[in-house]
Amino acid sequence: MPKIEPKSGWKAKLHEIIYEADTPAGKFFDVALLVVIAISIVLVMLESVNSLNTKYYWHFYIAEWIITFIFSVEYILRIISIKKPKHYIFSFYGIVDLLSTLPTYLAFLFGGHNLLFAVRALRLLRIFRVLKVTRYIGESNRLLLALRNSRPKIIVFLFAVLIICIIMGTLMHLVEGEEGGFDNIPLSIYWAIVTLTTVGFGDIHPITPLGRFIASFIMIVGYGIIAVPTGIVTSEITRSQRGKIPKNTQACPHCNETKHLDNAEFCHNCGKPLNEH
Amino acid sequence: MPKIEPKSGWKAKLHEIIYEADTPAGKFFDVALLVVIAISIVLVMLESVNSLNTKYYWHFYIAEWIITFIFSVEYILRIISIKKPKHYIFSFYGIVDLLSTLPTYLAFLFGGHNLLFAVRALRLLRIFRVLKVTRYIGESNRLLLALRNSRPKIIVFLFAVLIICIIMGTLMHLVEGEEGGFDNIPLSIYWAIVTLTTVGFGDIHPITPLGRFIASFIMIVGYGIIAVPTGIVTSEITRSQRGKIPKNTQACPHCNETKHLDNAEFCHNCGKPLNEH
Amino acid sequence: MPKIEPKSGWKAKLHEIIYEADTPAGKFFDVALLVVIAISIVLVMLESVNSLNTKYYWHFYIAEWIITFIFSVEYILRIISIKKPKHYIFSFYGIVDLLSTLPTYLAFLFGGHNLLFAVRALRLLRIFRVLKVTRYIGESNRLLLALRNSRPKIIVFLFAVLIICIIMGTLMHLVEGEEGGFDNIPLSIYWAIVTLTTVGFGDIHPITPLGRFIASFIMIVGYGIIAVPTGIVTSEITRSQRGKIPKNTQACPHCNETKHLDNAEFCHNCGKPLNEH
Amino acid sequence: MPKIEPKSGWKAKLHEIIYEADTPAGKFFDVALLVVIAISIVLVMLESVNSLNTKYYWHFYIAEWIITFIFSVEYILRIISIKKPKHYIFSFYGIVDLLSTLPTYLAFLFGGHNLLFAVRALRLLRIFRVLKVTRYIGESNRLLLALRNSRPKIIVFLFAVLIICIIMGTLMHLVEGEEGGFDNIPLSIYWAIVTLTTVGFGDIHPITPLGRFIASFIMIVGYGIIAVPTGIVTSEITRSQRGKIPKNTQACPHCNETKHLDNAEFCHNCGKPLNEH
């Protein structure tokens, strides 16, 4: 495959429509794809409800095939329109896109419908394509930036939470024992996480006075330290209010690299021009 | 109905009393209306308690009619005092006001008391009229402004929360299956929302070690990302501390448009003068 | 009672010890009182545990009388040392102090021990005296100031929360009905509050798909709008970091008014000098 | 033990490797130690699961002895390499390190395996050694600084929370009584903490209308005042963004004091030079 030769006209256009969102056609493609993905997700959900699956089996079956056909066409177009198909095929999205279509074909060939249901649930991963659209709302970049900046602090915080949960879980296992449901240490740590995060299912709960005292302590700690991640993110968001936000949705036609600067003319990854048509 | 002709004196006054809150009479009308609405809401609530309804059936019946009478008079006055009644009748409040009175009359005519109870609960929507009063407390405008400014960020956040819940719910359905109560994907997503938001009813909860591990992950994520909306709103509120707050409660006597600037003399919607008397 | 005449020496000193905390003796009195109050509270708690009350009945009985004696002496000293006893006797603390001692005497005279237990629980109100000590930690004033400044915003917020809960509770009553435990509207509103505040007891929970959908909505709203009070208080605390904090613990010997400026020589309420000895 | 005489070469090097983390060897030692600690913790956890312990008894037994051997060697090396062993032996970490090895030996000598399980859970305390590594992530110091600065405010806040819980718990005991599970005041206070912190297990919950009304009040208070610690920590973190962070991990070879300034040449505790080799 010759590397430097410019793409043929229709391939370049197809690439722009499928991989980018700067043109009206590109935006339309993205939105249409999202609608199909959303429908396919709702279908997987409804199919899992036994009463519905029994009643509308054939409706699901036909809808299944229509969606698989659309995804298959899209998959082939994506491979055709890109210069280095390997970059796409072995990328995260490439594998997810393939896994979105394969199960239906395999179920048809080998008949193992029930087993493949789980695999088809992988189709849910296509939901991440939706996130590409959130780039239109420039705010999401700001949010992600604030979250990325506060990552080291948040890791330290989660680490501290984990240590508290391990110690408290072990303590509760020793104090409550098997009568209160604290059968073993991993289960007690699970309970400590349920309690510290203020979820509180209530399937396991202390019954001895000392256990309840320790539980009160964990709850108050959990109630108090939620302030820490909040404080971290808030101060980052306040700071990020002033920065610029990149809005470029171009993807390099050569290496498929994204996240170019707004005024970028060449790909920062492979040096090829971003617009050749 | 002649459009340009100024309103007759008593109609203009009535309009000012009923639709605005700048004069003492207007404020009194608003407060009195709120008291009646509050009483009517309490009545609907108490009536739904079976033991009370059996005991005090006639008390409720009479109170019902008194309130319906007051609301009917108010409804007629609102139609009379405005220049373009259609604007009011087909507005959100106009329909709510009508639905607040109709059920009692219909129940009297056709006798279907039980069925109309649900419709009468619509009377609760009149509670939104109360919000008009919160304008007196200038702070509510500041709060709403901060919330409105952070809307794009909050939509992105809720979108991310939804995607996490869909993926985690599907995962839990596959891991826990029907034994743990995760019967189908929609139910599992419901459970994921209950868990991520740290509500934790406990009607459904994981019982397998892997399911509990994933649940722990969801809980910690939910405990951590609550920092995001908080950070967003906090930075907006901090910023909004400096802005001006509009306090004008005038409503245009022609088109009923509200939210005029403090020094507005003419309606920004239809160009008619705001004060003609 | 002559108003202008200066207090006799020992009364002034007693007043300073009992009502203020600027001198070593005053601080010691406050701390000693707190210890006795704490002990009395722990006693009321333990006495409520049936197994303990049966076993240590006489221990509790004697401790009861010792504490009542100490509180009685303190009550008499407070009346003696102040110039206008009425100010104290009919103040909130005066009534609480009286209610802390009376029950034991009444139980001795009339024998109704069980009934008076509830009244003796009022002794818990004396815990508020402890708050006076928090003034030593200057930070509590800053916190209270920040909370007081954000009061109008918080009232608006709680009002909005209440309206959401009323509407959602009514909706759930109509959707779920009596089968899911949503027996009447007040109970459904209680459930909506339990859910919106992310407490989630689980004693009542939706079982229909539509009910669960609405519940998901309430949970996400509750998860999101917790950002609002947090944002309000955070911006207030950030702002309050710069202000001065009053640390004066003097109480006027004439009218018992507190909250004087640090350099105050005369009471800002009655104009009498604060230090006469 | 001569105090001023410089350490012999290999001892100084050993000290640097074991107690500090500035050299590659020192970092490697710390990471290796952490891995062993993590493995030992996972072992204690898994051993507590009955089904696993029955199945893999001998695997656990052997792994137990390997870990005990490694910890024993480390303990001896720590004593040898430091100049004043008493400083280490009687320090918090010294006692924890000893308690991490002793139980296995005692179980071997005296046979009381079951009883010593609890003691061996003390090995969990070694997890705190992990925290030393978080110093590499400079952010943890910033977080701890922010938390330390907001300590007085947080104490005042927790104190207020405790008072609310005591008063509300007592109130609920009087209102609900033993029927709703509010058997005694300590239990009711436990419930109030569970509710105020929005954990909500659901093992105890009010059943009378008045009890539910008070519970609603507690929940809304708990939902609202979580804003206070959040506001405190947020404003501290925002402020702490500008300060410098100490990154020195040296420990004095004489007195084992840590937390030296980055450019420190002598120990600020005993005045001895920090680097003698």
Side-chain angles (χ1 to χ4, degrees):
Chain A
M1 188 180 291
K3 275 181 176 175
I4 303 156
E5 180 200 32
K7 282 195 288 186
S8 60
W10 67 271
K11 272 194 180 176
K13 261 193 185 148
L14 205 60
H15 179 273
E16 197 171 272
I17 290 170
I18 294 177
Y19 285 97
E20 301 178 19
D22 290 331
T23 58
K27 277 183 190 170
F28 176 80
F29 177 83
D30 271 22
V31 171
L33 181 61
L34 288 181
V35 170
V36 178
I37 291 173
I39 291 171
S40 79
I41 288 167
V42 170
L43 274 179
V44 172
M45 281 184 203
L46 296 180
E47 217 169 327
S48 77
V49 184
N50 276 335
S51 59
L52 289 177
N53 200 16
T54 317
K55 214 171 170 186
Y56 302 103
Y57 182 79
W58 288 105
H59 296 80
F60 282 128
Y61 188 79
I62 291 160
E64 194 60 40
W65 274 106
I66 294 170
I67 294 219
T68 303
F69 175 74
I70 295 171
F71 282 173
S72 306
V73 169
E74 184 219 343
Y75 186 66
I76 291 162
L77 286 180
R78 279 192 188 269
I79 289 175
I80 290 173
S81 69
I82 204 167
K83 273 205 171 160
K84 293 185 179 172
K86 276 182 192 168
H87 268 102
Y88 166 68
I89 291 170
F90 296 106
S91 71
F92 173 70
Y93 281 134
I95 292 163
V96 166
D97 287 356
L98 185 64
L99 289 173
S100 305
T101 57
L102 267 189
T104 319
Y105 294 116
L106 294 177
F108 182 72
L109 292 174
F110 305 107
H113 187 78
N114 286 330
L115 192 86
L116 289 165
F117 173 77
V119 184
R120 208 162 65 238
L122 283 168
R123 194 169 286 169
L124 279 178
L125 288 173
R126 297 207 94 205
I127 211 171
F128 285 114
R129 285 224 175 272
V130 178
L131 293 175
K132 212 182 170 186
V133 174
T134 60
R135 268 198 285 174
Y136 294 124
I137 311 161
E139 301 294 348
S140 75
N141 285 357
R142 219 173 230 154
L143 270 184
L144 281 176
L145 195 77
L147 280 177
R148 206 172 299 142
N149 285 345
S150 44
R151 197 166 44 185
K153 279 204 196 98
I154 284 176
I155 287 169
V156 169
F157 170 73
L158 288 182
F159 191 67
V161 164
L162 210 70
I163 288 176
I164 294 172
C165 286
I166 289 173
I167 290 172
M168 287 300 167
T170 310
L171 204 61
M172 287 301 281
H173 172 62
L174 297 174
V175 167
E176 285 279 329
E178 300 192 11
E179 273 171 70
F182 297 78
D183 293 0
N184 50 57
I185 294 181
L187 190 59
S188 303
I189 291 170
Y190 164 72
W191 173 85
I193 293 173
V194 170
T195 305
L196 192 92
T197 57
T198 75
V199 172
F201 283 132
D203 52 341
I204 310 165
H205 55 257
I207 47 170
T208 65
L210 182 57
R212 278 172 168 154
F213 184 79
I214 298 170
S216 301
F217 175 77
I218 299 174
M219 284 177 241
I220 287 173
V221 165
Y223 186 67
I225 62 170
I226 200 169
V228 176
T230 308
I232 295 164
V233 175
T234 302
S235 70
E236 278 302 331
I237 288 177
T238 310
R239 220 168 26 163
S240 76
Q241 298 279 17
R242 298 164 219 135
K244 275 195 215 165
I245 316 157
K247 285 197 176 176
N248 198 318
T249 65
Q250 284 184 311
C252 174
H254 298 269
C255 67
N256 219 19
E257 173 77 16
T258 54
K259 291 179 191 159
H260 302 283
L261 289 178
D262 282 357
N263 54 352
E265 292 290 328
F266 295 88
C267 175
H268 65 253
N269 190 38
C270 65
K272 304 274 164 52
L274 288 170
N275 300 293
E276 300 181 70
H277 36 267
Chain B
M1 190 181 294
K3 276 181 178 176
I4 303 157
E5 180 201 32
K7 282 196 290 185
S8 61
W10 65 271
K11 272 194 180 175
K13 262 193 185 149
L14 205 61
H15 179 272
E16 198 172 88
I17 290 170
I18 294 178
Y19 286 98
E20 302 177 18
D22 291 330
T23 58
K27 277 182 190 170
F28 176 81
F29 177 84
D30 271 23
V31 171
L33 182 60
L34 287 182
V35 171
V36 178
I37 290 173
I39 291 171
S40 80
I41 288 167
V42 170
L43 274 178
V44 172
M45 281 184 202
L46 296 180
E47 216 170 329
S48 76
V49 184
N50 275 335
S51 59
L52 289 177
N53 200 17
T54 317
K55 213 171 170 186
Y56 301 104
Y57 182 79
W58 288 105
H59 296 81
F60 283 128
Y61 189 79
I62 291 161
E64 194 60 41
W65 274 107
I66 294 170
I67 294 218
T68 304
F69 176 73
I70 296 172
F71 283 172
S72 306
V73 168
E74 184 219 344
Y75 185 67
I76 292 161
L77 286 181
R78 279 191 188 270
I79 289 174
I80 290 173
S81 69
I82 203 166
K83 272 203 171 163
K84 294 185 179 174
K86 277 182 191 169
H87 268 101
Y88 166 68
I89 292 170
F90 296 107
S91 71
F92 172 71
Y93 281 135
I95 292 163
V96 167
D97 288 355
L98 185 64
L99 289 174
S100 306
T101 57
L102 267 189
T104 320
Y105 294 117
L106 293 177
F108 181 73
L109 291 174
F110 305 106
H113 187 78
N114 287 330
L115 191 86
L116 289 165
F117 173 76
V119 184
R120 207 163 64 238
L122 284 167
R123 193 170 286 168
L124 279 179
L125 289 173
R126 297 207 94 204
I127 212 172
F128 285 113
R129 285 223 176 272
V130 178
L131 294 174
K132 212 181 170 185
V133 174
T134 60
R135 270 196 284 174
Y136 294 126
I137 310 160
E139 301 295 346
S140 75
N141 284 357
R142 220 173 229 155
L143 269 184
L144 280 176
L145 196 75
L147 281 177
R148 206 171 301 141
N149 284 345
S150 43
R151 198 167 42 185
K153 279 205 196 99
I154 285 175
I155 287 169
V156 170
F157 170 73
L158 288 182
F159 192 67
V161 164
L162 210 70
I163 289 176
I164 293 171
C165 286
I166 289 174
I167 290 172
M168 288 299 167
T170 309
L171 204 61
M172 288 300 282
H173 172 63
L174 298 174
V175 167
E176 285 279 329
E178 300 192 11
E179 274 172 69
F182 296 79
D183 293 0
N184 51 57
I185 294 182
L187 189 60
S188 302
I189 291 171
Y190 165 71
W191 173 85
I193 293 173
V194 169
T195 305
L196 192 93
T197 57
T198 76
V199 172
F201 283 132
D203 52 341
I204 310 166
H205 55 257
I207 47 170
T208 65
L210 182 57
R212 277 173 170 154
F213 184 79
I214 298 170
S216 301
F217 175 77
I218 299 174
M219 282 177 244
I220 287 174
V221 166
Y223 186 66
I225 61 171
I226 200 168
V228 176
T230 309
I232 295 163
V233 175
T234 303
S235 70
E236 277 302 330
I237 288 177
T238 309
R239 217 161 37 155
S240 76
Q241 298 280 16
R242 298 163 218 135
K244 274 196 215 164
I245 317 156
K247 285 196 176 176
N248 198 317
T249 66
Q250 284 185 310
C252 174
H254 299 270
C255 68
N256 218 20
E257 174 77 16
T258 54
K259 292 181 190 159
H260 300 285
L261 289 176
D262 283 357
N263 55 350
E265 292 289 327
F266 294 88
C267 174
H268 64 254
N269 191 37
C270 65
K272 304 274 165 52
L274 288 170
N275 300 292
E276 299 180 70
H277 36 266
Chain C
M1 190 180 291
K3 276 181 178 175
I4 303 157
E5 181 199 32
K7 282 197 287 186
S8 61
W10 67 271
K11 273 194 179 176
K13 260 191 186 150
L14 206 60
H15 179 273
E16 199 171 88
I17 290 170
I18 294 178
Y19 286 97
E20 301 177 19
D22 290 331
T23 57
K27 278 182 189 169
F28 176 81
F29 177 85
D30 270 22
V31 171
L33 182 60
L34 287 181
V35 171
V36 178
I37 291 173
I39 291 171
S40 79
I41 288 167
V42 170
L43 274 179
V44 172
M45 281 184 201
L46 295 179
E47 216 168 329
S48 77
V49 183
N50 276 336
S51 59
L52 289 176
N53 200 17
T54 317
K55 212 171 171 185
Y56 302 103
Y57 182 80
W58 288 105
H59 296 81
F60 283 127
Y61 189 79
I62 291 161
E64 193 61 40
W65 274 107
I66 294 170
I67 294 214
T68 303
F69 176 73
I70 295 171
F71 282 172
S72 304
V73 170
E74 183 220 345
Y75 185 68
I76 292 162
L77 286 181
R78 279 192 188 269
I79 289 175
I80 290 173
S81 69
I82 202 167
K83 274 206 170 160
K84 293 184 180 173
K86 276 182 192 169
H87 269 101
Y88 166 69
I89 291 169
F90 296 106
S91 71
F92 172 70
Y93 281 134
I95 293 163
V96 167
D97 287 355
L98 185 64
L99 289 174
S100 305
T101 57
L102 267 189
T104 320
Y105 294 116
L106 293 176
F108 181 72
L109 292 174
F110 305 108
H113 189 78
N114 286 330
L115 192 86
L116 289 165
F117 172 78
V119 183
R120 208 162 63 237
L122 283 167
R123 193 169 286 168
L124 278 178
L125 288 173
R126 296 207 95 205
I127 211 172
F128 284 113
R129 286 224 176 270
V130 178
L131 293 175
K132 212 181 169 186
V133 175
T134 60
R135 269 197 285 173
Y136 293 126
I137 310 160
E139 300 295 347
S140 76
N141 285 356
R142 221 174 228 153
L143 270 184
L144 280 176
L145 196 76
L147 280 177
R148 206 170 301 141
N149 284 345
S150 44
R151 197 166 43 185
K153 279 204 195 98
I154 285 176
I155 287 169
V156 169
F157 170 73
L158 288 182
F159 192 67
V161 164
L162 210 70
I163 289 176
I164 293 171
C165 287
I166 289 173
I167 290 172
M168 287 300 167
T170 309
L171 205 61
M172 287 301 282
H173 172 63
L174 298 174
V175 167
E176 286 279 328
E178 300 192 12
E179 275 172 69
F182 296 79
D183 292 2
N184 51 57
I185 294 182
L187 189 59
S188 302
I189 291 170
Y190 164 71
W191 173 86
I193 293 173
V194 169
T195 305
L196 193 92
T197 57
T198 77
V199 172
F201 283 132
D203 51 340
I204 311 165
H205 56 255
I207 46 170
T208 64
L210 182 57
R212 277 173 169 154
F213 183 80
I214 298 170
S216 301
F217 176 76
I218 300 174
M219 283 177 242
I220 286 174
V221 165
Y223 186 66
I225 62 171
I226 200 168
V228 176
T230 308
I232 295 164
V233 175
T234 302
S235 70
E236 278 302 331
I237 287 177
T238 310
R239 220 163 32 158
S240 76
Q241 298 280 16
R242 299 165 218 134
K244 276 195 216 163
I245 316 157
K247 286 196 176 176
N248 198 318
T249 65
Q250 284 186 310
C252 174
H254 298 270
C255 69
N256 218 19
E257 173 78 15
T258 54
K259 291 180 190 159
H260 301 284
L261 289 177
D262 282 357
N263 55 351
E265 291 290 328
F266 295 88
C267 173
H268 65 253
N269 190 38
C270 65
K272 304 274 165 51
L274 288 171
N275 300 294
E276 298 182 70
H277 36 268
Chain D
M1 191 180 294
K3 273 180 179 177
I4 304 156
E5 180 201 31
K7 281 196 288 184
S8 60
W10 66 271
K11 272 194 179 176
K13 260 191 187 151
L14 205 60
H15 180 273
E16 198 171 270
I17 290 171
I18 294 177
Y19 285 97
E20 302 177 19
D22 291 331
T23 58
K27 278 183 189 167
F28 176 80
F29 177 84
D30 270 23
V31 171
L33 182 60
L34 287 182
V35 171
V36 178
I37 291 173
I39 291 171
S40 79
I41 288 167
V42 170
L43 275 179
V44 172
M45 282 183 202
L46 296 180
E47 217 169 328
S48 76
V49 184
N50 275 335
S51 58
L52 290 176
N53 200 16
T54 316
K55 212 172 171 185
Y56 303 103
Y57 182 79
W58 288 106
H59 295 80
F60 283 128
Y61 189 78
I62 291 161
E64 194 61 40
W65 274 108
I66 294 170
I67 294 219
T68 304
F69 176 74
I70 295 172
F71 282 172
S72 305
V73 169
E74 184 220 344
Y75 185 67
I76 291 162
L77 286 180
R78 279 191 188 271
I79 290 175
I80 290 174
S81 69
I82 202 167
K83 274 206 169 160
K84 293 186 181 171
K86 276 181 192 169
H87 268 101
Y88 167 68
I89 292 169
F90 296 106
S91 70
F92 173 70
Y93 281 134
I95 292 163
V96 166
D97 288 355
L98 186 64
L99 289 173
S100 305
T101 57
L102 266 190
T104 320
Y105 294 116
L106 294 177
F108 182 71
L109 291 174
F110 304 108
H113 187 79
N114 286 331
L115 192 85
L116 289 165
F117 173 78
V119 184
R120 207 162 64 238
L122 283 167
R123 192 170 289 167
L124 278 179
L125 289 173
R126 297 207 95 204
I127 211 171
F128 284 114
R129 285 223 177 271
V130 178
L131 293 175
K132 211 183 170 185
V133 175
T134 60
R135 268 198 284 174
Y136 294 125
I137 311 161
E139 302 294 347
S140 76
N141 284 356
R142 220 173 229 155
L143 269 184
L144 280 176
L145 196 76
L147 280 177
R148 206 171 301 140
N149 283 346
S150 43
R151 197 166 43 185
K153 278 203 196 100
I154 284 176
I155 287 170
V156 169
F157 171 72
L158 288 182
F159 191 67
V161 164
L162 210 69
I163 289 176
I164 293 172
C165 286
I166 290 174
I167 290 173
M168 287 300 167
T170 310
L171 205 60
M172 287 301 282
H173 172 62
L174 298 174
V175 167
E176 285 280 328
E178 301 192 11
E179 276 172 69
F182 297 79
D183 292 1
N184 51 57
I185 293 181
L187 189 60
S188 302
I189 291 171
Y190 164 73
W191 173 86
I193 293 173
V194 169
T195 305
L196 192 92
T197 57
T198 76
V199 172
F201 283 132
D203 52 341
I204 311 164
H205 55 256
I207 46 170
T208 64
L210 182 57
R212 279 173 168 155
F213 184 79
I214 297 170
S216 301
F217 175 77
I218 299 174
M219 285 177 240
I220 286 174
V221 166
Y223 186 66
I225 61 171
I226 201 169
V228 176
T230 308
I232 295 164
V233 175
T234 302
S235 69
E236 278 302 331
I237 287 178
T238 309
R239 220 164 32 158
S240 76
Q241 298 279 17
R242 297 164 219 136
K244 276 196 215 164
I245 316 156
K247 285 196 177 175
N248 198 316
T249 65
Q250 284 186 311
C252 175
H254 299 269
C255 68
N256 218 20
E257 173 78 16
T258 55
K259 290 179 191 161
H260 300 285
L261 289 177
D262 283 357
N263 55 351
E265 291 290 328
F266 295 89
C267 174
H268 65 254
N269 190 38
C270 66
K272 305 273 164 53
L274 287 171
N275 300 295
E276 298 180 71
H277 36 268

